[in-house]
Amino acid sequence: MKKQKLILIGNGMAGVRTLEELLKLEADLYDISVFGAEPHPNYNRIMLSPVLAGEKQVEEIVLNSREWYAENHITLHTGDPVTAIDRKARQITTASGMSASYDRLLLATGSNPFIIPVPGHDLPGVVGFRDIQDVETMLASARQYKKAVVIGGGLLGLEAANGLKKNGMDVTVVHLMDMLMERQLDKPAATLLKASLEEGGLKFLMEAQTEAILGDQRVTGVRFKDGTEIDTDLVVMAVGIRPNMALADAAGLHCERGIVVNDTLQTFDPRIYAVGECVQHRNNTYGLVAPLFEQAKVCANHLAQLGYGRYQGSVTSTKLKVTGIDLFSAGEFNEAEGDETLVLQDPAQGVYKKLVIRDNRIKGAVMYGDTMDGSWYFQLLREATDISSFRNTILFGQHDLGDAGHGEETRVGMLSDEAEICGCNGVCKGEIVNAITSQGLFTLDEVRAHTKASASCGSCTGMVEALLASTVGEGYAATPSKKAVCGCTSYSHDEVRKAISELGLKSMPELFDKLDWGTPDGCPSCRPALNYYLLAAWPAEYRDDAQSRFINERAHGNIQKDGSYSVVPRMFGGLCSADDLRAIADVADKFEVPEIKVTGGQRIDLFGVKKEQLPAVWKDLSEAGFVSGHAYGKALRTVKTCVGKNWCRFGTQDSTGLGVKLEELTWGSWMPHKFKLAVSGCPRNCAEATIKDLGVVCVDSGYELHIGGNGGIKVRVTDLLCKVESEQEVLEYTGAFIQCYREEARYLERTAPWVERVSLNYVKQRVVEDKVGRKALYERFKLSQQYAQVDPWKARAEGAETHEFTPLSIDRMRAAS
Amino acid sequence: MNDWIPVTKLEEIPRLGARKLQAGELDIALFRTGSDEVFALRDRCPHRGGPLSQGIVHGEAVTCPLHNWKIDLQSGEVQGPDQGCVHSFAVRIEEGVVYLDIASLESAA
Ligand SMILES: Cc1cc2nc3c(=O)[nH]c(=O)nc-3n(C[C@H](O)[C@H](O)[C@H](O)COP(=O)(O)OP(=O)(O)OC[C@H]3O[C@@H](n4cnc5c(N)ncnc54)[C@H](O)[C@@H]3O)c2cc1C
Ligand code: SF4
Ligand code: SF4
Ligand code: FES
């Protein structure tokens, strides 16, 4: 089959990133040609600021060398802008008169600096700040002349001013507003910033409106509306950018402020895609790389004809790349009416932090002087995390929090340089930051290659990303709103689950193939997660893969530190008979079990059983009527109960009986993480129901259902979900809640962080308000239970998976031969 | 000198899994990769003695079930900057039967 032709117009950061993502997915689908107006291969535009400041050389910022294009069979035309697109003929023409035809076209023309159309704006010595040529012009002026004016006190203007100052020029920043960076900062932060830049030698003219640029052969000065003038040899215009859409507009593509695209980055002509700063998506345009890289990924997914990626817009955050100044802002940092603000101000240390809060969620953040927690706040903002439980310490940073409820990535905080980040490889924070700055690392993989941090188990990936973000700024090559499952893929947990159901993936090899897994058979991080996702999606069809389970779930016992196992028979609701106890005692005697203990979940634990003994132990227990207690799995653990109204004088309902019914309904179910239930017979709550994943508290008039509790390292008390009137409803709501968690939480995410992430209101909506939806969830749960409630012990006692439990022996082999 | 003795059939080891093999006092872990190669290592993690036969096999490596050290199946070397090495034994497959070189056992004992 003849390959389709893909043409990229615009050899810049977003366009080439899209090609890279595409090559990762489908290397051979297209014949690719690239047309770029600039004479260079793709370089890191962000790094123009350090180049101007003399901290980097142009050669160091090239991202894709000409060899890269050749190796990937991409034809590159540089220094030859495209001048027209003929959509009927599917052809483009360039300035040099070349023409080429396409099957698909990708526009990534970036944006142009906005040049204020005052008299004199076209004089020599007036430049924008956009590309290598601009930087070369500025550097040449700095060698020859003394004075510079930068018009615009935003991010770009200040970086330009800082760079020119570093080159020895006398720099004045002219700004229309009364504060700097008004689009990224609030007043107090802007005041601190201005003071410290002035200390560094920059001059400022605030509230000054430019009227004309003076000069005949070359600029000599600038005149303002109020009639004052200032002498200068160079004018840098940094008052904003405009999406570069002239070419698209002329070709009849729908453009507003940018080229309008849909969620798959297609323009109104479905053969033509557009990404980057030239694009307008859901009414937004972007001027930072992180969202553009997200667009690139989705666009590549669609170009590769996979089509399950969607771009839904991004929230961005900003850092200023001026050495010695720490500044961070994100979201809606100026409070609107009704918002609350949390502020920390320490003028002596030059520290200022402000969080804007609405409905207990962070809407915006501004930080100056101390930005260590910027990426943490940004994460809370993006994930719309409910902060009520830690809002009184939130300004002090996340080192004030434990991690149980929040996952590893929220710990980086204001750790000291000696703090260990990667436990696997023993890499501390200082080493990572140092490697990033001294070797100019830009991506997570580079940090892994250089420092090994997060290269092994990957559980510290979140922290390393946070370090990367706070060190490099938003330019680092990670997509902000999602996290990959593991190093084998770039897809997030949610994307993988979506692909499983939408593409109907029913086995692991099929999944690895369709989603282009980076390793032939995954790794210990992704395999158990994928096995669970497949099982949860296809309860009837998927055959569990024992080799993708952690040993506890494979051996159906908890591995102890000496390699022996513990055995916990299930006792529904904690009830048992004298015969049950005798049977357990008999097993303990027969197999010389070294220790017996009652567990926190009201069950009996037999410790120190050898692996080889397990099937025989299970056989005896199974004959006495016991099934596995799943005390070892990411599964339904126990339903803890109090004695309730049968015996207790305070009891309002039959809590023990209800506990038995709940456990009969739910046992055997596999979950994203372990799951515990409890039922208390009255609000005295003897069964500690309010620190369980789901707790029932009986009252006179019915049953309160509480969710999302956790009694681990960081205790979290449950949230009240609702109150119901009958036992039947308790069962239905519980089944529905569990199923919702099973279908939507990420693997290894307990209910506590899950509820915080998706919000209590969301869970209420799904399980309480949406009656039809609840019934459907409950039905799906019961369906999956038909396949899950097979006692693994009985099966193994009867001979299933014997190879797991019977060691081979050389002596036996020898005897046989 | 090699001294090959048959220890099991290939099909007795689960793909991407392992079997424990007792050779007198010595516990050996036999691993089978996704591409049906078989490797043998001493069943004791160089970190704190975890049973490697209980770990997850991926590529040509196994990850220890106790603290996630990753060990190369071919060489027995610990991967990454963690230091350590576990004894590996020569294995051969012929017509679906797995042979172990017991001459190499003596050197390990
Ligand atoms: C000095 C500076 C500092 C920055 N700092 C940061 C930062 O700290 N963090 C951050 O996130 N972002 C930063 N940015 C913004 C970031 O660089 C841009 O968002 C990003 O480069 C945009 O990518 P793009 O592919 O859309 O456009 P570009 O990278 O501009 O690529 C567009 C390319 O298309 C070419 N082109 C245009 N028209 C045609 C045509 N008709 N034919 C052929 N080629 C054409 C252009 O010449 C250009 O090479 C900075 C930008 C600058 C200038
Ligand atoms: S929770 Fe209430 S009903 Fe249950 S044992 Fe305690 S006091 Fe009695
Ligand atoms: S509390 Fe700690 S020591 Fe005790 S069983 Fe749990 S993990 Fe082990
Ligand atoms: S014993 Fe193997 S990693 Fe600790």
Side-chain angles (χ1 to χ4, degrees), chain A residues 642-645 648-653 655 679-687:
Chain A
C642 77
V643 291
K645 101 173 159 187
C648 175
R649 64 201 162 101
F650 298 112
T652 63
Q653 311 281 356
S655 50
V679 188
S680 285
C682 83
R684 283 168 192 76
N685 195 9
C686 295

mmCIF file with all atom_site columns, all heavy atoms in Angstrom, chain A residues 642-645 648-653 655 679-687, ligand 2:
data_model
loop_
_atom_site.group_PDB
_atom_site.id
_atom_site.type_symbol
_atom_site.label_atom_id
_atom_site.label_alt_id
_atom_site.label_comp_id
_atom_site.label_asym_id
_atom_site.label_entity_id
_atom_site.label_seq_id
_atom_site.pdbx_PDB_ins_code
_atom_site.Cartn_x
_atom_site.Cartn_y
_atom_site.Cartn_z
_atom_site.occupancy
_atom_site.B_iso_or_equiv
_atom_site.pdbx_formal_charge
_atom_site.auth_seq_id
_atom_site.auth_comp_id
_atom_site.auth_asym_id
_atom_site.auth_atom_id
_atom_site.pdbx_PDB_model_num
ATOM   1   N  N   . CYS A 1 642 ? -20.459 -4.883 65.545 1.00 0.00 ? 642 CYS A N   1
ATOM   2   C  CA  . CYS A 1 642 ? -20.639 -4.921 66.995 1.00 0.00 ? 642 CYS A CA  1
ATOM   3   C  C   . CYS A 1 642 ? -21.786 -5.892 67.286 1.00 0.00 ? 642 CYS A C   1
ATOM   4   O  O   . CYS A 1 642 ? -22.394 -6.422 66.361 1.00 0.00 ? 642 CYS A O   1
ATOM   5   C  CB  . CYS A 1 642 ? -20.938 -3.527 67.542 1.00 0.00 ? 642 CYS A CB  1
ATOM   6   S  SG  . CYS A 1 642 ? -22.631 -3.028 67.238 1.00 0.00 ? 642 CYS A SG  1
ATOM   7   N  N   . VAL A 1 643 ? -22.100 -6.116 68.552 1.00 0.00 ? 643 VAL A N   1
ATOM   8   C  CA  . VAL A 1 643 ? -23.111 -7.136 68.849 1.00 0.00 ? 643 VAL A CA  1
ATOM   9   C  C   . VAL A 1 643 ? -24.532 -6.673 68.515 1.00 0.00 ? 643 VAL A C   1
ATOM   10  O  O   . VAL A 1 643 ? -25.410 -7.482 68.259 1.00 0.00 ? 643 VAL A O   1
ATOM   11  C  CB  . VAL A 1 643 ? -23.050 -7.608 70.317 1.00 0.00 ? 643 VAL A CB  1
ATOM   12  C  CG1 . VAL A 1 643 ? -21.784 -8.381 70.544 1.00 0.00 ? 643 VAL A CG1 1
ATOM   13  C  CG2 . VAL A 1 643 ? -23.155 -6.431 71.272 1.00 0.00 ? 643 VAL A CG2 1
ATOM   14  N  N   . GLY A 1 644 ? -24.761 -5.373 68.555 1.00 0.00 ? 644 GLY A N   1
ATOM   15  C  CA  . GLY A 1 644 ? -26.056 -4.878 68.111 1.00 0.00 ? 644 GLY A CA  1
ATOM   16  C  C   . GLY A 1 644 ? -27.213 -5.202 69.044 1.00 0.00 ? 644 GLY A C   1
ATOM   17  O  O   . GLY A 1 644 ? -27.023 -5.623 70.184 1.00 0.00 ? 644 GLY A O   1
ATOM   18  N  N   . LYS A 1 645 ? -28.411 -5.051 68.491 1.00 0.00 ? 645 LYS A N   1
ATOM   19  C  CA  . LYS A 1 645 ? -29.559 -5.036 69.384 1.00 0.00 ? 645 LYS A CA  1
ATOM   20  C  C   . LYS A 1 645 ? -29.916 -6.407 69.968 1.00 0.00 ? 645 LYS A C   1
ATOM   21  O  O   . LYS A 1 645 ? -30.643 -6.474 70.944 1.00 0.00 ? 645 LYS A O   1
ATOM   22  C  CB  . LYS A 1 645 ? -30.745 -4.365 68.680 1.00 0.00 ? 645 LYS A CB  1
ATOM   23  C  CG  . LYS A 1 645 ? -31.802 -5.252 68.094 1.00 0.00 ? 645 LYS A CG  1
ATOM   24  C  CD  . LYS A 1 645 ? -32.954 -4.405 67.596 1.00 0.00 ? 645 LYS A CD  1
ATOM   25  C  CE  . LYS A 1 645 ? -33.738 -5.217 66.573 1.00 0.00 ? 645 LYS A CE  1
ATOM   26  N  NZ  . LYS A 1 645 ? -34.776 -4.441 65.917 1.00 0.00 ? 645 LYS A NZ  1
ATOM   27  N  N   . CYS A 1 648 ? -26.936 -5.947 72.989 1.00 0.00 ? 648 CYS A N   1
ATOM   28  C  CA  . CYS A 1 648 ? -26.512 -4.682 73.592 1.00 0.00 ? 648 CYS A CA  1
ATOM   29  C  C   . CYS A 1 648 ? -27.719 -3.819 73.923 1.00 0.00 ? 648 CYS A C   1
ATOM   30  O  O   . CYS A 1 648 ? -28.637 -3.685 73.124 1.00 0.00 ? 648 CYS A O   1
ATOM   31  C  CB  . CYS A 1 648 ? -25.594 -3.943 72.634 1.00 0.00 ? 648 CYS A CB  1
ATOM   32  S  SG  . CYS A 1 648 ? -25.161 -2.324 73.240 1.00 0.00 ? 648 CYS A SG  1
ATOM   33  N  N   . ARG A 1 649 ? -27.706 -3.196 75.122 1.00 0.00 ? 649 ARG A N   1
ATOM   34  C  CA  . ARG A 1 649 ? -28.897 -2.437 75.536 1.00 0.00 ? 649 ARG A CA  1
ATOM   35  C  C   . ARG A 1 649 ? -29.054 -1.156 74.745 1.00 0.00 ? 649 ARG A C   1
ATOM   36  O  O   . ARG A 1 649 ? -30.095 -0.530 74.763 1.00 0.00 ? 649 ARG A O   1
ATOM   37  C  CB  . ARG A 1 649 ? -28.873 -2.169 77.035 1.00 0.00 ? 649 ARG A CB  1
ATOM   38  C  CG  . ARG A 1 649 ? -27.735 -1.285 77.491 1.00 0.00 ? 649 ARG A CG  1
ATOM   39  C  CD  . ARG A 1 649 ? -27.471 -1.484 78.993 1.00 0.00 ? 649 ARG A CD  1
ATOM   40  N  NE  . ARG A 1 649 ? -26.162 -0.978 79.322 1.00 0.00 ? 649 ARG A NE  1
ATOM   41  C  CZ  . ARG A 1 649 ? -25.967 0.209  79.902 1.00 0.00 ? 649 ARG A CZ  1
ATOM   42  N  NH1 . ARG A 1 649 ? -26.963 0.968  80.200 1.00 0.00 ? 649 ARG A NH1 1
ATOM   43  N  NH2 . ARG A 1 649 ? -24.733 0.609  80.158 1.00 0.00 ? 649 ARG A NH2 1
ATOM   44  N  N   . PHE A 1 650 ? -27.994 -0.708 74.033 1.00 0.00 ? 650 PHE A N   1
ATOM   45  C  CA  . PHE A 1 650 ? -28.135 0.508  73.239 1.00 0.00 ? 650 PHE A CA  1
ATOM   46  C  C   . PHE A 1 650 ? -28.516 0.227  71.790 1.00 0.00 ? 650 PHE A C   1
ATOM   47  O  O   . PHE A 1 650 ? -28.844 1.117  71.044 1.00 0.00 ? 650 PHE A O   1
ATOM   48  C  CB  . PHE A 1 650 ? -26.819 1.304  73.223 1.00 0.00 ? 650 PHE A CB  1
ATOM   49  C  CG  . PHE A 1 650 ? -26.395 1.751  74.583 1.00 0.00 ? 650 PHE A CG  1
ATOM   50  C  CD1 . PHE A 1 650 ? -25.264 1.224  75.184 1.00 0.00 ? 650 PHE A CD1 1
ATOM   51  C  CD2 . PHE A 1 650 ? -27.136 2.707  75.262 1.00 0.00 ? 650 PHE A CD2 1
ATOM   52  C  CE1 . PHE A 1 650 ? -24.861 1.636  76.434 1.00 0.00 ? 650 PHE A CE1 1
ATOM   53  C  CE2 . PHE A 1 650 ? -26.732 3.130  76.524 1.00 0.00 ? 650 PHE A CE2 1
ATOM   54  C  CZ  . PHE A 1 650 ? -25.598 2.596  77.116 1.00 0.00 ? 650 PHE A CZ  1
ATOM   55  N  N   . GLY A 1 651 ? -28.413 -1.015 71.422 1.00 0.00 ? 651 GLY A N   1
ATOM   56  C  CA  . GLY A 1 651 ? -28.546 -1.374 69.999 1.00 0.00 ? 651 GLY A CA  1
ATOM   57  C  C   . GLY A 1 651 ? -29.877 -0.936 69.393 1.00 0.00 ? 651 GLY A C   1
ATOM   58  O  O   . GLY A 1 651 ? -30.920 -1.033 70.012 1.00 0.00 ? 651 GLY A O   1
ATOM   59  N  N   . THR A 1 652 ? -29.812 -0.444 68.162 1.00 0.00 ? 652 THR A N   1
ATOM   60  C  CA  . THR A 1 652 ? -31.029 -0.013 67.489 1.00 0.00 ? 652 THR A CA  1
ATOM   61  C  C   . THR A 1 652 ? -31.413 -0.970 66.372 1.00 0.00 ? 652 THR A C   1
ATOM   62  O  O   . THR A 1 652 ? -32.561 -1.005 65.957 1.00 0.00 ? 652 THR A O   1
ATOM   63  C  CB  . THR A 1 652 ? -30.850 1.381  66.868 1.00 0.00 ? 652 THR A CB  1
ATOM   64  O  OG1 . THR A 1 652 ? -29.838 1.300  65.868 1.00 0.00 ? 652 THR A OG1 1
ATOM   65  C  CG2 . THR A 1 652 ? -30.461 2.408  67.910 1.00 0.00 ? 652 THR A CG2 1
ATOM   66  N  N   . GLN A 1 653 ? -30.470 -1.690 65.826 1.00 0.00 ? 653 GLN A N   1
ATOM   67  C  CA  . GLN A 1 653 ? -30.746 -2.611 64.722 1.00 0.00 ? 653 GLN A CA  1
ATOM   68  C  C   . GLN A 1 653 ? -29.879 -3.851 64.900 1.00 0.00 ? 653 GLN A C   1
ATOM   69  O  O   . GLN A 1 653 ? -28.965 -3.873 65.716 1.00 0.00 ? 653 GLN A O   1
ATOM   70  C  CB  . GLN A 1 653 ? -30.396 -1.979 63.353 1.00 0.00 ? 653 GLN A CB  1
ATOM   71  C  CG  . GLN A 1 653 ? -30.944 -0.596 63.126 1.00 0.00 ? 653 GLN A CG  1
ATOM   72  C  CD  . GLN A 1 653 ? -32.412 -0.582 62.727 1.00 0.00 ? 653 GLN A CD  1
ATOM   73  O  OE1 . GLN A 1 653 ? -33.031 -1.636 62.542 1.00 0.00 ? 653 GLN A OE1 1
ATOM   74  N  NE2 . GLN A 1 653 ? -32.984 0.609  62.639 1.00 0.00 ? 653 GLN A NE2 1
ATOM   75  N  N   . SER A 1 655 ? -27.064 -5.262 63.973 1.00 0.00 ? 655 SER A N   1
ATOM   76  C  CA  . SER A 1 655 ? -25.836 -4.925 63.247 1.00 0.00 ? 655 SER A CA  1
ATOM   77  C  C   . SER A 1 655 ? -25.063 -6.175 62.840 1.00 0.00 ? 655 SER A C   1
ATOM   78  O  O   . SER A 1 655 ? -24.469 -6.229 61.767 1.00 0.00 ? 655 SER A O   1
ATOM   79  C  CB  . SER A 1 655 ? -24.956 -4.007 64.091 1.00 0.00 ? 655 SER A CB  1
ATOM   80  O  OG  . SER A 1 655 ? -24.789 -4.535 65.389 1.00 0.00 ? 655 SER A OG  1
ATOM   81  N  N   . VAL A 1 679 ? -20.129 -2.423 60.569 1.00 0.00 ? 679 VAL A N   1
ATOM   82  C  CA  . VAL A 1 679 ? -21.498 -2.054 60.926 1.00 0.00 ? 679 VAL A CA  1
ATOM   83  C  C   . VAL A 1 679 ? -21.558 -1.865 62.439 1.00 0.00 ? 679 VAL A C   1
ATOM   84  O  O   . VAL A 1 679 ? -21.208 -2.776 63.201 1.00 0.00 ? 679 VAL A O   1
ATOM   85  C  CB  . VAL A 1 679 ? -22.508 -3.166 60.543 1.00 0.00 ? 679 VAL A CB  1
ATOM   86  C  CG1 . VAL A 1 679 ? -23.931 -2.656 60.755 1.00 0.00 ? 679 VAL A CG1 1
ATOM   87  C  CG2 . VAL A 1 679 ? -22.312 -3.613 59.107 1.00 0.00 ? 679 VAL A CG2 1
ATOM   88  N  N   . SER A 1 680 ? -21.970 -0.695 62.879 1.00 0.00 ? 680 SER A N   1
ATOM   89  C  CA  . SER A 1 680 ? -22.166 -0.436 64.310 1.00 0.00 ? 680 SER A CA  1
ATOM   90  C  C   . SER A 1 680 ? -23.658 -0.325 64.593 1.00 0.00 ? 680 SER A C   1
ATOM   91  O  O   . SER A 1 680 ? -24.403 0.273  63.815 1.00 0.00 ? 680 SER A O   1
ATOM   92  C  CB  . SER A 1 680 ? -21.481 0.879  64.722 1.00 0.00 ? 680 SER A CB  1
ATOM   93  O  OG  . SER A 1 680 ? -20.084 0.695  64.796 1.00 0.00 ? 680 SER A OG  1
ATOM   94  N  N   . GLY A 1 681 ? -24.052 -0.876 65.753 1.00 0.00 ? 681 GLY A N   1
ATOM   95  C  CA  . GLY A 1 681 ? -25.472 -0.955 66.061 1.00 0.00 ? 681 GLY A CA  1
ATOM   96  C  C   . GLY A 1 681 ? -26.089 0.321  66.588 1.00 0.00 ? 681 GLY A C   1
ATOM   97  O  O   . GLY A 1 681 ? -27.303 0.435  66.700 1.00 0.00 ? 681 GLY A O   1
ATOM   98  N  N   . CYS A 1 682 ? -25.256 1.319  66.911 1.00 0.00 ? 682 CYS A N   1
ATOM   99  C  CA  . CYS A 1 682 ? -25.779 2.610  67.341 1.00 0.00 ? 682 CYS A CA  1
ATOM   100 C  C   . CYS A 1 682 ? -24.645 3.622  67.210 1.00 0.00 ? 682 CYS A C   1
ATOM   101 O  O   . CYS A 1 682 ? -23.499 3.248  66.953 1.00 0.00 ? 682 CYS A O   1
ATOM   102 C  CB  . CYS A 1 682 ? -26.291 2.538  68.785 1.00 0.00 ? 682 CYS A CB  1
ATOM   103 S  SG  . CYS A 1 682 ? -24.995 2.722  70.015 1.00 0.00 ? 682 CYS A SG  1
ATOM   104 N  N   . PRO A 1 683 ? -24.912 4.903  67.383 1.00 0.00 ? 683 PRO A N   1
ATOM   105 C  CA  . PRO A 1 683 ? -23.853 5.902  67.172 1.00 0.00 ? 683 PRO A CA  1
ATOM   106 C  C   . PRO A 1 683 ? -22.680 5.793  68.148 1.00 0.00 ? 683 PRO A C   1
ATOM   107 O  O   . PRO A 1 683 ? -21.688 6.494  67.975 1.00 0.00 ? 683 PRO A O   1
ATOM   108 C  CB  . PRO A 1 683 ? -24.601 7.224  67.337 1.00 0.00 ? 683 PRO A CB  1
ATOM   109 C  CG  . PRO A 1 683 ? -26.016 6.912  66.979 1.00 0.00 ? 683 PRO A CG  1
ATOM   110 C  CD  . PRO A 1 683 ? -26.243 5.530  67.512 1.00 0.00 ? 683 PRO A CD  1
ATOM   111 N  N   . ARG A 1 684 ? -22.768 4.936  69.172 1.00 0.00 ? 684 ARG A N   1
ATOM   112 C  CA  . ARG A 1 684 ? -21.562 4.742  70.003 1.00 0.00 ? 684 ARG A CA  1
ATOM   113 C  C   . ARG A 1 684 ? -20.452 4.092  69.191 1.00 0.00 ? 684 ARG A C   1
ATOM   114 O  O   . ARG A 1 684 ? -19.290 4.124  69.557 1.00 0.00 ? 684 ARG A O   1
ATOM   115 C  CB  . ARG A 1 684 ? -21.902 3.898  71.226 1.00 0.00 ? 684 ARG A CB  1
ATOM   116 C  CG  . ARG A 1 684 ? -22.633 4.715  72.265 1.00 0.00 ? 684 ARG A CG  1
ATOM   117 C  CD  . ARG A 1 684 ? -23.235 3.850  73.372 1.00 0.00 ? 684 ARG A CD  1
ATOM   118 N  NE  . ARG A 1 684 ? -24.153 4.669  74.166 1.00 0.00 ? 684 ARG A NE  1
ATOM   119 C  CZ  . ARG A 1 684 ? -25.372 5.029  73.757 1.00 0.00 ? 684 ARG A CZ  1
ATOM   120 N  NH1 . ARG A 1 684 ? -25.812 4.613  72.597 1.00 0.00 ? 684 ARG A NH1 1
ATOM   121 N  NH2 . ARG A 1 684 ? -26.134 5.794  74.512 1.00 0.00 ? 684 ARG A NH2 1
ATOM   122 N  N   . ASN A 1 685 ? -20.841 3.468  68.133 1.00 0.00 ? 685 ASN A N   1
ATOM   123 C  CA  . ASN A 1 685 ? -19.914 3.077  67.085 1.00 0.00 ? 685 ASN A CA  1
ATOM   124 C  C   . ASN A 1 685 ? -18.785 2.154  67.539 1.00 0.00 ? 685 ASN A C   1
ATOM   125 O  O   . ASN A 1 685 ? -17.614 2.391  67.263 1.00 0.00 ? 685 ASN A O   1
ATOM   126 C  CB  . ASN A 1 685 ? -19.351 4.368  66.451 1.00 0.00 ? 685 ASN A CB  1
ATOM   127 C  CG  . ASN A 1 685 ? -18.652 4.102  65.116 1.00 0.00 ? 685 ASN A CG  1
ATOM   128 O  OD1 . ASN A 1 685 ? -18.737 2.991  64.583 1.00 0.00 ? 685 ASN A OD1 1
ATOM   129 N  ND2 . ASN A 1 685 ? -17.965 5.090  64.612 1.00 0.00 ? 685 ASN A ND2 1
ATOM   130 N  N   . CYS A 1 686 ? -19.136 1.099  68.243 1.00 0.00 ? 686 CYS A N   1
ATOM   131 C  CA  . CYS A 1 686 ? -18.116 0.176  68.747 1.00 0.00 ? 686 CYS A CA  1
ATOM   132 C  C   . CYS A 1 686 ? -17.343 -0.534 67.631 1.00 0.00 ? 686 CYS A C   1
ATOM   133 O  O   . CYS A 1 686 ? -16.244 -1.015 67.841 1.00 0.00 ? 686 CYS A O   1
ATOM   134 C  CB  . CYS A 1 686 ? -18.753 -0.859 69.669 1.00 0.00 ? 686 CYS A CB  1
ATOM   135 S  SG  . CYS A 1 686 ? -19.430 -0.095 71.148 1.00 0.00 ? 686 CYS A SG  1
ATOM   136 N  N   . ALA A 1 687 ? -17.912 -0.627 66.436 1.00 0.00 ? 687 ALA A N   1
ATOM   137 C  CA  . ALA A 1 687 ? -17.207 -1.313 65.342 1.00 0.00 ? 687 ALA A CA  1
ATOM   138 C  C   . ALA A 1 687 ? -16.319 -0.349 64.555 1.00 0.00 ? 687 ALA A C   1
ATOM   139 O  O   . ALA A 1 687 ? -15.744 -0.720 63.534 1.00 0.00 ? 687 ALA A O   1
ATOM   140 C  CB  . ALA A 1 687 ? -18.209 -1.988 64.404 1.00 0.00 ? 687 ALA A CB  1
HETATM 141 S  S1  . SF4 C 2 .   ? -22.202 0.321  68.666 1.00 0.00 ? 2   SF4 C S1  1
HETATM 142 FE FE1 . SF4 C 2 .   ? -23.958 0.630  69.937 1.00 0.00 ? 2   SF4 C FE1 1
HETATM 143 S  S2  . SF4 C 2 .   ? -25.127 -1.213 69.597 1.00 0.00 ? 2   SF4 C S2  1
HETATM 144 FE FE2 . SF4 C 2 .   ? -23.082 -1.686 68.914 1.00 0.00 ? 2   SF4 C FE2 1
HETATM 145 S  S3  . SF4 C 2 .   ? -22.124 -2.583 70.747 1.00 0.00 ? 2   SF4 C S3  1
HETATM 146 FE FE3 . SF4 C 2 .   ? -21.632 -0.387 70.692 1.00 0.00 ? 2   SF4 C FE3 1
HETATM 147 S  S4  . SF4 C 2 .   ? -23.162 0.494  72.025 1.00 0.00 ? 2   SF4 C S4  1
HETATM 148 FE FE4 . SF4 C 2 .   ? -23.920 -1.508 71.444 1.00 0.00 ? 2   SF4 C FE4 1
#
